[in-house]
Amino acid sequence: MIDKPMDVLRQYPVRKGKRRKQAFRDDVQAYLKTLGYESTVEKGSLGSRNLVIGNPDEAEWLVTAHYDTCAWLPFPNLITPCNPVTFILYQLFVVLIMFAFMGAGGALVYLLTRDGFWAFWTGYLLLWVFLVLMMVGPANKTNANDNTSGVVTVLEIARNLPESQRSRVCFVLFDLEEAGLIGSSSYQNRHKKTTPNQVVLNLDCVGDGDEIMLFPTKKLKKDADKMDALRPGCGSFGAKSMSLRESGFSVYPSDQANFPYGVGIAAFRRCKWVGLYCGRIHTHRDTILEEENVNLLRGQILKIVCGAAKSERKMENESL
């Protein structure tokens, strides 16, 4: 039984497979009920199940995270969101590993059979095996940052959101992000009438690093009012900081990409030669979830969504 959001780290470290996901959703729904929330499970593509907390058709804000567990990889999924050179080099590295795996298998079959036909098709099959294992392979058993951190933070924000603001915010835990943003895509298709106007604050890998960055979509960057609503949450907080990436190269591959007014939120470390980076994830080294980051994000996101309500009330009063 979950008594507080951080219990997810200990009780549900792996959320992969039908049975484990069901147990996690059931426990989270029972916990949310004690807080006075109504929640539903929405079915989506390829068996995905999204946990929706609140009323998605009335909300102005969506606060989201994916809850599914990634597959284990022998190397980390390195993300360098503001450095185009290292971002491209890492993608090339992954492609090189894939073709090396393919080539080694094909070469072995050729040495054993001297048959080019079977060597080629063995290599081709191994390429697809590699791709499938990257997305839906055996679960990585340590997922503190990716994405237990996002799940815990969403639940913390829900726990502390004033009841007077609950109609303005809907919380969604997406399924099958690791398989290609499937859960969030299904959610967007189901709620086509409301999502075009909602700001989506998507928390993914927020537990490891001192620099928390907000990555708005291109459409959101062009909306001055919505960008202004995000700024009150930014600033320096001792060793920690929270910043809004308004210009320059930036890419953060996560569920916010499926929404016109999406904001990807993640925490990063900094290296002299690379800049901001997120490492460790998808490997056994993903063991860090800083509760200080959860508390910081809880406070600042509440400031963003509740601050927007105060601004609207102020404008209404001034117009009277």
Side-chain angles (χ1 to χ4, degrees):
M1 180 68 182
I2 296 173
D3 295 318
K4 57 184 184 300
M6 281 297 288
D7 289 346
V8 174
L9 179 63
R10 175 175 55 85
Q11 296 184 22
Y12 297 99
V14 176
R15 301 168 298 275
K16 193 175 181 69
K18 184 177 180 180
R19 180 179 58 81
R20 283 173 167 166
K21 288 181 179 181
Q22 183 69 56
F24 165 76
R25 291 193 301 266
D26 287 347
D27 211 351
V28 169
Q29 285 188 285
Y31 170 71
L32 290 165
K33 192 172 183 179
T34 67
L35 300 178
Y37 281 100
E38 294 292 331
S39 60
T40 58
V41 176
E42 293 184 352
K43 296 180 181 180
S45 302
L46 301 180
S48 63
R49 298 291 186 272
N50 296 323
L51 181 55
V52 181
I53 307 153
N55 190 332
D57 297 322
E58 292 183 2
E60 300 167 36
W61 300 81
L62 297 183
V63 179
T64 67
H66 76 87
Y67 71 88
D68 59 311
T69 293
C70 62
W72 175 83
L73 292 178
F75 50 87
N77 179 19
L78 179 66
I79 301 174
T80 56
C82 303
N83 188 323
V85 175
T86 54
F87 182 84
I88 293 171
L89 286 176
Y90 180 77
Q91 308 310 311
L92 292 175
F93 165 76
V94 174
V95 171
L96 180 63
I97 292 294
M98 287 181 358
F99 280 99
F101 185 65
M102 170 185 175
L108 179 61
V109 169
Y110 183 77
L111 288 174
L112 294 174
T113 65
R114 298 296 176 179
D115 189 323
F117 176 84
W118 288 111
F120 171 81
W121 285 107
T122 298
Y124 185 73
L125 176 63
L126 288 174
L127 176 63
W128 281 101
V129 168
F130 187 92
L131 289 170
V132 170
L133 288 175
M134 284 185 67
M135 293 188 293
V136 296
N140 188 34
K141 295 181 179 180
T142 54
N143 302 280
N145 192 28
D146 185 15
N147 189 32
T148 301
S149 65
V151 171
V152 168
T153 305
V154 166
L155 296 179
E156 272 290 343
I157 296 167
R159 181 171 73 161
N160 289 274
L161 182 68
E163 288 192 23
S164 62
Q165 300 296 315
R166 289 188 179 183
S167 64
R168 303 181 68 250
V169 184
C170 179
F171 303 92
V172 188
L173 297 179
F174 295 126
D175 194 8
L176 294 187
E177 186 268 356
E178 299 290 353
L181 314 185
I182 292 169
S184 57
S185 177
S186 296
Y187 178 90
Q188 196 278 332
N189 286 331
R190 184 169 182 150
H191 299 277
K192 286 182 178 179
K193 292 183 179 179
T194 53
T195 53
N197 300 312
Q198 294 168 327
V199 178
V200 181
L201 303 177
N202 183 58
L203 299 147
D204 191 357
C205 299
V206 296
D208 183 11
D210 291 338
E211 298 188 46
I212 298 171
M213 190 71 68
L214 281 65
F215 299 99
T217 58
K218 289 183 179 179
K219 185 172 183 177
L220 180 50
K221 288 179 181 178
K222 296 176 182 179
D223 191 311
D225 291 337
K226 286 182 170 56
M227 289 292 284
D228 285 342
L230 297 174
R231 291 191 178 95
C234 300
S236 297
F237 312 92
K240 305 285 184 179
S241 66
M242 190 162 162
S243 305
L244 179 62
R245 184 75 173 181
E246 300 189 49
S247 61
F249 174 86
S250 64
V251 58
Y252 192 79
S254 192
D255 288 307
Q256 78 282 345
N258 279 323
F259 302 91
Y261 293 120
V263 184
I265 304 175
F268 299 92
R269 294 172 179 262
R270 182 176 289 274
C271 173
K272 180 179 179 181
W273 303 109
V274 175
L276 297 177
Y277 74 94
C278 175
R280 301 175 181 265
I281 59 175
H282 291 225
T283 72
H284 67 279
R285 299 181 64 217
D286 183 4
T287 58
I288 299 175
L289 198 175
E290 299 180 59
E291 195 165 359
E292 186 178 354
N293 283 20
V294 175
N295 294 335
L296 172 60
L297 280 161
R298 176 195 64 205
Q300 298 312 109
I301 289 179
L302 285 173
K303 184 183 293 186
I304 289 172
V305 297
C306 295
K310 291 178 181 178
S311 296
E312 289 171 7
R313 286 196 297 270
K314 183 178 179 181
M315 290 174 65
E316 289 174 0
N317 292 332
E318 290 176 349
S319 65
L320 296 176

